[in-house]
Amino acid sequence: MLTVKNLNKSFGENKVLQGIDLQVNKGEVVAVIGPSGSGKTTMLRCISFLEKADEGELDFVCSEGEPDERKETYDMHHASSHEIRQLRSHMGFVFQSFNLFRNKTAIGNVTEGLTVGRRMDKALARKKAEECLARVGLSERADYYPDELSGGQQQRVAIARALALEPDIILLDEPTSALDPELTGEVLDTILKLAKEGTTMLVVTHEMGFAREAADRIIFIEGGVVVEEGTPEQIFDSPKEERTREFLSGMTR
């Protein structure tokens, strides 16, 4: 579904991403792990064109249209605004810090992208939003404002907002990093439920237990390069690279 080739990104003299290659298949959950500052968030932002890559190619196969029309190739440095809008219509993005509209209720946050971005009828948008809030366990909080919700509930609203657009893939950037430890579990449980439903996801996470349980594949990144990738069993139980072993050892102390 999603293939990235030779992704490079620098900020001034700082080379953040250096020739990243990755692939996410339909129905697959890929977890990206690595130390802080390794380029994980920048990689997601480049894939969604929130940051312009210096170099790279992105192949994307959407679920709609004729088979020979579903695959599109994007130059990650020179993609046009039209191409970026086209790609984003098939992607959902869940941010670290929720990014909810503070003056809208939970259901208002979910319907906004449907009525404004997709021009959907308001009644139909509300029905869709109610369904997505139910999927993340927040039916009873539909009319609550963000300030009336816990951090975990706000993040679940953000996930519902992404789901409402029926994307082919959801990108999640450290979805629990802004939460208190006691609220982390409810968000991880929600994402795990989506994974079991076959939702295609690319997740940057520091939650090793979640990565082991939810992911089909793990990618370990350090210094802007892919050090190692494999199944959770391969990465956690018998990593090939010494640096992977060191990182995981430090995470479990």
Side-chain angles (χ1 to χ4, degrees):
M1 172 177 286
L2 171 71
T3 303
V4 173
K5 305 172 186 175
N6 195 35
L7 171 56
N8 290 273
K9 175 65 179 179
S10 296
F11 293 102
E13 298 298 317
N14 182 22
K15 294 182 179 180
V16 179
L17 301 173
Q18 304 182 63
I20 293 285
D21 295 330
L22 67 84
Q23 182 173 343
V24 184
N25 300 311
K26 182 176 175 59
E28 188 176 41
V29 177
V30 176
V32 183
I33 64 174
S36 297
S38 59
K40 305 183 300 296
T41 291
T42 300
M43 182 192 73
L44 280 194
R45 292 180 63 84
C46 286
I47 290 172
S48 59
F49 288 88
L50 294 171
E51 293 280 359
K52 180 187 285 189
D54 298 330
E55 184 180 7
E57 182 178 287
L58 188 153
D59 292 334
F60 192 82
V61 181
C62 68
S63 60
E64 300 175 347
E66 296 299 322
D68 60 346
E69 297 175 348
R70 292 178 184 174
K71 182 177 179 180
E72 295 287 346
T73 298
Y74 302 86
D75 183 318
M76 299 181 74
H77 183 70
H78 296 289
S80 67
S81 297
H82 171 74
E83 288 176 318
I84 292 171
R85 286 195 301 271
Q86 178 188 48
L87 178 65
R88 284 181 180 166
S89 70
H90 298 286
M91 285 184 172
F93 200 108
V94 177
F95 298 88
Q96 295 181 21
S97 54
F98 323 141
N99 284 20
L100 300 179
F101 295 108
R102 313 308 297 180
N103 63 335
K104 293 184 180 294
T105 61
I107 200 164
N109 269 278
V110 179
T111 58
E112 181 77 6
L114 298 173
T115 57
V116 177
R118 298 286 174 87
R119 308 290 185 186
M120 186 180 289
D121 173 79
K122 288 184 178 181
L124 184 59
R126 184 176 179 89
K127 183 174 184 296
K128 169 67 73 174
E130 288 172 346
E131 292 171 354
C132 291
L133 286 172
R135 287 180 70 183
V136 300
L138 287 177
S139 293
E140 296 180 356
R141 295 290 188 270
D143 295 319
Y144 284 55
Y145 287 89
D147 289 345
E148 300 173 313
L149 300 172
S150 70
Q153 290 169 337
Q154 290 182 60
Q155 190 62 292
R156 284 190 281 154
V157 172
I159 293 170
R161 177 178 59 188
L163 288 171
L165 299 175
E166 298 183 347
D168 289 305
I169 184 172
I170 299 178
L171 312 181
L172 300 100
D173 181 20
E174 296 277 16
T176 62
S177 67
L179 301 178
D180 293 331
E182 63 267 25
L183 300 176
T184 294
E186 66 187 67
V187 174
L188 295 180
D189 287 345
T190 297
I191 299 170
L192 183 59
K193 176 174 176 282
L194 297 177
K196 291 178 178 178
E197 292 173 357
T199 306
T200 307
M201 292 183 280
L202 178 60
V203 187
V204 168
T205 184
H206 62 273
E207 300 287 346
M208 298 299 108
F210 164 77
R212 179 190 279 271
E213 185 176 3
D216 297 291
R217 278 189 298 117
I218 307 286
I219 296 176
F220 173 53
I221 290 180
E222 185 176 49
V225 300
V226 175
V227 176
E228 186 171 356
E229 69 173 287
T231 65
E233 292 76 16
Q234 291 169 335
I235 296 298
F236 288 107
D237 297 335
S238 54
K240 296 177 181 178
E241 301 296 328
E242 177 62 27
R243 184 61 193 104
T244 310
R245 290 192 288 271
E246 292 174 355
F247 171 75
L248 292 174
S249 175
M251 292 295 289
T252 56
R253 285 174 188 162

